[in-house]
Amino acid sequence: MKTRSVAVALATIALAGALAACTPTGPGVASGPSASAGGSAAGSDPAHPTKSPSPGTSASPTPSPTSTPVALPTDCKAILSANVLSQLGDTPLNSPVFGPSGVQSDGSLICIWADPKADTTSITTTISRRYRGEALDMLNGLVKTEGFSCYTPDKGTRCEKEWPDATYPVTDGRTLFWRDDVLIDTKYSNLSPNGYTSSIVASIFGS
């Protein structure tokens, strides 16, 4: 009987180990584009066994600090440098002729630099909250279906494309920048000040 009891105990331990090895990653663990080299999966590490809590202490994990969301801007001029503003010159800002502009009900900001008397010269920027999954899906879609080029400056992701205007002999384009759940989306036609998007990024993120 003693031998049979030992055998049953060993079988139970082996089964428990097999089940633990098959446990899937929890739904709360996000997967990035690629795993970093040298990273280790969550769980126990035989080389560094978890210490048992000492008597009188709680075994509950310490909660991670919650990051503060980056604030969306509320002033179209304040987000631009003096150099960019000088390039815009006397171009009117947020004329009601072009529809909604300024701070919107969802907290986003729309800035429209355009002269109502001009046929096509304009630059429109929308700054909104856009979370990682949705933002990256959108940017990847622009690359795959519309031929945008993307790179990663200023700790974010920037995608852009230019093309000839369909009616006038000018250049149109679109530039998007995403970082920390904030999307800066700019569409322009015959008006593209040097350093425009970089100026907005520096204003919002500080670096």
Side-chain angles (χ1 to χ4, degrees), residues 73-161:
T74 58
D75 189 319
C76 292
K77 287 188 175 180
I79 58 177
L80 298 176
S81 66
N83 177 46
V84 172
L85 288 171
S86 68
Q87 294 177 64
L88 290 168
D90 57 0
T91 305
L93 172 63
N94 293 344
S95 169
V97 172
F98 300 108
S101 60
V103 178
Q104 304 299 295
S105 60
D106 62 355
S108 61
L109 178 67
I110 301 175
C111 304
I112 305 173
W113 296 88
D115 189 335
K117 300 187 296 291
D119 291 328
T120 185
T121 302
S122 65
I123 184 166
T124 300
T125 297
T126 301
I127 303 171
S128 61
R129 189 78 61 196
R130 192 68 67 92
Y131 296 102
R132 179 182 178 83
E134 182 185 4
L136 296 185
D137 284 347
M138 182 188 69
L139 296 178
N140 285 329
L142 291 175
V143 172
K144 294 177 181 178
T145 64
E146 299 186 31
F148 275 67
S149 298
C150 297
Y151 55 109
T152 54
D154 303 316
K155 302 177 184 178
T157 300
R158 176 169 174 157
C159 298
E160 54 192 26
K161 180 183 176 181

Side-chain angles (χ1 to χ4, degrees), residues 118-123 163 165 168-173 187-193:
D119 291 328
T120 185
T121 302
S122 65
I123 184 166
W163 58 87
D165 187 88
Y168 302 96
V170 300
T171 298
D172 295 349
K187 300 175 182 178
Y188 56 91
S189 178
N190 196 38
L191 182 61
S192 180

